């Protein structure tokens, strides 16, 4: 790590600018109401490996596992500081997300489901840190299962509305649009299996199968499209979503690797 907590890295030949990723995963919760919900963490280490592989993503990767709200907040602030317009930053969050009184929060190990405003990380705070980041390409990936703020609250989540993304210049991919749990932790509908969205991203980047047009690069749009197909073929009730302003889909995530059509199909 460089002084101040920013990962030390250098540009990778054949990939644009300096590239850095922070993966934050939370699966251990002190609150029993969060602990028994389906674990959202799935495939994060495989994704980290694909991002870090110089033959694929070429990212400098750092991970924080089972951090407190304060630890997560500080890790994000340190990670995003000191960036330049030539940089690409990728922030990945895998945890429970809680929507309470029209606000979205990300759960930490010390979060209490009944008191997210006092113990969870506000999504607004994360987006404010992203706003202050000087990197030219900024990407957020959410592999979260969502809890509604009230027992009767149903319907789907729109990531652009929830995070206020319009005009911010930030690309966001989300594993699901489903609000799966009530405020009390009861399933709203048939409970989804563990997310395979991250697994799909990892496979697409590591194998190069997400390079659908075989032009030698994997863009954010290509990675999302591959992960979407991976998810819907493995768990049709889960529907990923994305927010990509003009040009954001062209952010380069990895090199495309040579795979045959058969290999690409087999990876789905």
């Amino acid at each position: 790590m460089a002084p101040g907590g920013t990962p030390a890295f250098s540009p990778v030949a054949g990939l644009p600018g300096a590239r850095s990723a922070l993966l934050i995963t939370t699966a251990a919760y002190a609150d029993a109401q969060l602990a028994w919900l389906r674990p959202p963490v799935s495939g994060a280490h495989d994704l980290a490996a694909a991002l870090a592989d110089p033959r694929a993503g070429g990212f400098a990767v750092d991970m924080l596992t089972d951090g407190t709200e304060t630890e997560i907040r500080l890790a994000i602030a340190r990670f995003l500081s000191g960036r330049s317009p030539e940089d690409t930053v990728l922030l990945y969050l895998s945890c429970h997300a809680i929507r309470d009184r029209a606000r979205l929060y990300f759960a930490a190990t010390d979060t209490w489901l009944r008191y997210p405003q006092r113990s969870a990380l506000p999504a607004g705070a994360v987006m404010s840190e992203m706003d202050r980041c000087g990197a030219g390409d900024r990407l957020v990936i959410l592999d979260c299962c969502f809890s509604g703020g009230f027992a009767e609250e149903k319907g789907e989540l729109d990531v652009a509305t929830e995070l206020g993304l319009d005009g911010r210049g930030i690309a966001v991919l989300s594993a699901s649009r489903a609000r799966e749990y009530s405020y009390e932790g009861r399933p709203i509908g048939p409970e989804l299996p563990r997310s395979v969205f991250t697994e799909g991203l990892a496979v697409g980047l590591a194998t190069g199968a997400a390079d659908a047009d075989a032009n030698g690069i994997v863009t954010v749009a290509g990675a999302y499209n591959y992960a979407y197909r991976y998810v819907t073929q493995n768990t049709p009730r889960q529907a990923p979503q994305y927010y990509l302003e003009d040009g954001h889909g062209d952010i380069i995530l990895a090199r495309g690797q040579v795979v045959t059509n058969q290999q690409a199909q087999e990876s789905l």
Side-chain angles (χ1 to χ4, degrees):
M1 300 283 283
T6 300
F9 55 82
S10 59
V12 176
L15 293 172
R19 306 156 63 73
S20 191
L22 173 62
L23 281 67
I24 297 174
T25 65
T26 307
Y29 298 94
D31 185 350
Q33 282 188 293
L34 286 171
W36 72 264
L37 303 182
R38 76 164 175 87
V41 178
S42 174
H45 286 282
D46 289 339
L47 177 60
L51 289 171
D53 188 344
R55 298 166 300 177
F59 281 79
V61 177
D62 197 13
M63 293 190 72
L64 174 62
T65 302
D66 294 333
T68 65
E69 187 272 340
T70 298
E71 289 170 339
I72 293 173
R73 187 188 291 262
L74 287 174
I76 292 173
R78 290 169 176 164
F79 168 71
L80 294 174
S81 67
R83 303 299 179 181
S84 68
E86 295 77 25
D87 294 348
T88 297
V89 295
L90 185 158
L91 176 63
Y92 168 93
L93 290 166
S94 182
C95 61
H96 292 295
I98 305 163
R99 190 177 188 275
D100 182 57
R101 302 184 186 279
R103 293 185 179 181
L104 187 67
Y105 301 86
F106 298 115
T109 58
D110 56 348
T111 294
W112 291 88
L113 184 59
R114 293 191 63 183
Y115 308 108
Q117 71 281 4
R118 295 288 184 265
S119 60
L121 178 63
V126 175
M127 300 311 294
S128 292
E129 291 291 347
M130 293 294 291
D131 285 337
R132 287 192 286 268
C133 178
D137 290 328
R138 295 166 292 164
L139 171 63
V140 176
I141 299 176
L142 304 176
D143 196 345
C144 301
C145 56
F146 294 94
S147 299
F150 300 95
E152 68 275 10
E153 188 173 33
K154 299 183 179 181
E156 295 186 338
L157 291 160
D158 182 287
V159 68
T161 300
E162 294 291 332
L163 299 179
L165 293 176
D166 288 343
R168 297 185 100 143
I170 301 169
V172 176
L173 308 182
S174 178
S176 178
R177 66 179 71 245
R179 186 178 288 115
E180 301 174 48
Y181 298 99
S182 72
Y183 180 75
E184 291 83 1
R186 293 194 297 266
I188 287 174
E191 194 169 347
L192 293 172
R194 67 186 177 88
S195 172
V196 293
F197 182 69
T198 297
E199 296 173 9
L201 286 175
V203 169
L205 296 180
T207 65
D211 178 13
D213 54 7
N215 67 351
I217 60 173
V218 176
T219 63
V220 170
Y224 170 80
N225 290 333
Y226 182 86
Y228 185 95
R229 295 194 302 272
Y230 187 97
V231 168
T232 54
Q233 290 187 26
N234 283 277
T235 172
R237 286 185 290 122
Q238 184 172 328
Q241 60 181 318
Y242 69 93
Y243 179 85
L244 302 174
E245 289 183 343
D246 289 345
H248 284 170
D250 297 329
I251 296 173
I252 296 174
L253 279 187
R255 292 187 178 90
Q257 298 186 33
V258 177
V259 295
T260 66
N261 290 335
Q262 181 178 356
Q263 288 171 324
Q265 290 298 319
E266 289 174 350
S267 68
L268 285 176

